[in-house]
Amino acid sequence: MSRAPKPEQPPHAPTPTPRPGGRSARVRAEVVAATLAEVTEKGYDGLTVEAVATRSGVHKATLYRRWGGVDGLVADALNASADQPWPLPDTGDLQQDLRRITQEVFTVFTDPELGPTPTALISAAQRSDAGAAALRTFFAARHRQAAEVAERALARGELPAGTNGAEVVRAATAPLYYRLFVSGEPLDARTAVRAADAAALAARAGLFIPDPTDPTSPPAPTSPTSPTSPTSPPAPTTPDTPAAPANPAT
């Protein structure tokens, strides 16, 4: 949901412009780390440019110039999370791969140490237009990346031709995010397994093949790729572990 800009940020905050390499990259990393720490501790309402400046050691004027204000800081923290590599499961079976992905989402967001940061970041992103746009971009990128598990299944003959892999992953993870950020219902391991199994069953039934007569239907990939919580660690390859936002997950 959009809201008016905070008093300390300009009404039309510029989009953060990451600069590659060297000191600029170090500054960005320090600012992102400080932003994550502050939003985890204080939430969006308590997040200020001044506090991020103090924690990061970067001058307040630099933060305003490069990030524009707190909404730009939140957006760039999501952008930085999207840049993190995410090793995807490859069990040789779509259902098991999807189970590992949803298990990772469950594990990251319910862990008392790992969960608060991606939870706070996603919640903060929903409070401004800039953050919401960055959040949509983050999840779209994660879904495209995780689509590889479905594309591998397509290449193995598990799925019908034309299946949209990103939509398969979206369907597997959406019930978890609904509980976490919409309904507030408890999230348990059984819900994670059930969501993965339902998505796999629907995919095998051909429910994620785009309808050519529907202009809003997402296009299918042209061909399968070769044989992968915003802020969570890379996904382990064991069954009990997917991204948060780190990777805030898919």
Side-chain angles (χ1 to χ4, degrees), residues 199-221:
L201 183 64
R204 287 169 177 154
L207 297 186
F208 299 112
I209 299 174
D211 181 355
T213 66
D214 182 1
T216 65
S217 184

Side-chain angles (χ1 to χ4, degrees), residues 32-234:
V32 166
T35 300
L36 292 174
E38 287 291 318
V39 79
T40 301
E41 291 178 9
K42 303 171 184 175
Y44 178 78
D45 290 329
L47 181 64
T48 66
V49 171
E50 289 77 8
V52 172
T54 299
R55 189 184 283 260
S56 67
V58 177
H59 198 279
K60 181 171 68 172
T62 300
L63 298 185
Y64 278 119
R65 183 174 66 252
R66 288 186 55 181
W67 284 271
V70 294
D71 293 341
L73 291 168
V74 169
D76 199 37
L78 277 165
N79 293 337
S81 295
D83 292 340
Q84 296 176 2
W86 177 24
L88 289 168
D90 186 7
T91 66
D93 178 81
L94 175 66
Q95 185 171 343
Q96 293 304 316
D97 286 346
L98 292 176
R99 282 187 174 192
R100 292 193 182 191
I101 288 173
T102 59
Q103 178 64 37
E104 185 183 351
V105 175
F106 166 72
T107 299
V108 167
F109 281 94
T110 59
D111 186 281
E113 294 184 2
L114 297 177
T117 294
T119 299
L121 182 59
I122 291 175
S123 298
Q126 295 173 320
R127 301 286 296 278
S128 75
D129 290 340
L135 187 61
R136 287 192 297 272
T137 299
F138 172 86
F139 278 119
R142 283 305 191 206
H143 292 152
R144 285 194 301 271
Q145 181 184 9
E148 187 171 330
V149 299
E151 290 160 3
R152 293 196 205 107
L154 180 60
R156 291 191 299 265
E158 278 191 69
L159 300 179
T163 297
N164 186 305
E167 290 301 307
V168 174
V169 174
R170 189 191 309 274
T173 56
L176 283 66
Y177 287 109
Y178 179 82
R179 288 189 176 223
L180 286 165
F181 297 103
V182 179
S183 72
E185 298 169 84
L187 180 59
D188 54 42
R190 179 57 193 151
T191 298
V193 170
R194 185 169 59 242
D197 291 355
L201 183 64
R204 287 169 177 154
L207 297 186
F208 299 112
I209 299 174
D211 181 355
T213 66
D214 182 1
T216 65
S217 184
T222 54
S223 62
T225 61
S226 58
T228 282
S229 47
T231 62
S232 67

